[in-house]
Each structure stands twice: as structure tokens, then as C-alpha cells.
Amino acid sequence: MLTCGTFGLLVCAAYTAVTFLLMALAGVSFTGLNAVNVGLSFVSLMVYTLMAIACGFLLGSSGFNEMATNGFVNVFALLVMFTSGMAFPVDMMPDPMIIIGKLLPGWWLCSSIDHVFGLGTASSSGVDYGAWASSTGLVAMFAVAFICLGLALGRIRRARPTLASPATTQLAK
């Protein structure tokens, strides 16, 4: 977990640096940015990275093979991307997609960043640090839930190997 967390921190820092570089190269003004907004959006990104690491821990603890894990990750990532507002604006999404999006952590990542800058879904209310905190807290709760589920599944697999993989027990008999 520590290695993944360190790598995640480096990726978040690189992502933020590349974002600033591309903004400078495109001639985008930095006037709307301040240290608080950038720092809070970086915290949102780190919490989302922690959630992704926790999801990986859950998948590793569940004992799925590599093909099943890759399949889940691809479907989950696409579902998060298309229902969060990352791929296209929220006002273009049908209501069922918005409902599904609000059940996933990607929606709350986008919402937290919108609230810290007063953009997108928060354009009518403006900058709202309380809404940022609640959105980021929801993403953190996804991370905690994934870690707890991973610990529980790992415990079940160690304590009752026949429940974790009944097919191999059948073959051994």
C-alpha cells in the first residue's frame, strides 16, 4: 500500500505539473487560480488516488484471477468516466446516468473540483469549501469501504479456503 501510495503521489504531482505546463503553452490565464484552490483540488485528486488504490486492494484480496480483475477494472473505469461528467458535460447526460454517477466516486471527485473553483455543477453557487469537503469526504468513504471489504474478504479467504475456492477443494478430493 505504501508503494502504491507513493507512486500515486508522484503521479498526482506530475499530473498537476503537466496541467500547468499545458495551460502555459496554450496561453491560458492563471488569474482565477490561487494556492488554496489548487491545493484543495490536489487533495481531491490524492483522495481519489487513495480510493483507486483501495479498490485495487479489494480486488487483490478477493482472489480473482488476472483476467477477471482486468475486466472489472475496465468496466468500472469506463462506468465512472461516463457517469461522472469527465467525458462530457452533466447537462448532456440523461437522468439515469446522473443517478448512477452519484453512486460512484468519480461523480464526487468532479463535484469537489467544481466546488473548489465554482465551475461546472457548482457554477450557480460559486466556490463552496463546505461542499468541497463533503464531496471529498464521500470519495474518502469509498476508499474506507473498499479497504474494509478487502480486509474482510482477505480474512474469509485465509480462514475458510473452501469458501474462497470450492472448485480446488473438489479437485483435491
Side-chain angles (χ1 to χ4, degrees):
M1 284 283 259
L2 181 61
T3 302
C4 288
T6 303
F7 182 71
L9 176 64
L10 293 173
V11 169
C12 289
Y15 177 79
T16 303
V18 168
T19 300
F20 282 123
L21 176 67
L22 291 175
M23 286 175 66
L25 290 174
V28 175
S29 173
F30 292 96
T31 56
L33 300 179
N34 60 42
V36 172
N37 297 36
V38 173
L40 291 178
S41 64
F42 186 78
V43 169
S44 294
L45 187 59
M46 280 300 304
V47 170
Y48 190 78
T49 301
L50 173 67
M51 182 279 309
I53 292 168
C55 186
F57 173 71
L58 169 62
L59 291 173
S61 297
S62 65
F64 292 133
N65 65 23
E66 187 177 343
M67 187 182 311
T69 301
N70 284 334
F72 174 82
V73 168
N74 286 327
V75 170
F76 185 68
L78 287 171
L79 185 63
V80 166
M81 184 179 76
F82 284 115
T83 60
S84 66
M86 290 181 208
F88 46 89
V90 174
D91 58 355
M92 291 178 61
M93 290 194 296
D95 289 338
M97 282 183 67
I98 292 173
I99 291 169
I100 293 169
K102 288 182 178 183
L103 297 173
L104 299 170
W107 177 274
W108 301 108
L109 168 70
C110 291
S111 177
S112 70
I113 292 172
D114 285 350
H115 284 293
V116 85
F117 289 108
L119 303 170
T121 56
S123 60
S124 62
S125 62
V127 175
D128 184 353
Y129 297 125
W132 167 83
S134 65
S135 295
T136 304
L138 281 169
V139 176
M141 287 173 56
F142 274 98
V144 169
F146 290 155
I147 290 170
C148 290
L149 285 171
L151 289 171
L153 284 175
R155 171 101 171 136
I156 290 169
R157 287 185 63 225
R158 284 189 308 279
R160 299 181 185 150
T162 56
L163 289 176
S165 55
T168 52
T169 306
Q170 298 281 336
L171 294 175
K173 291 180 181 180

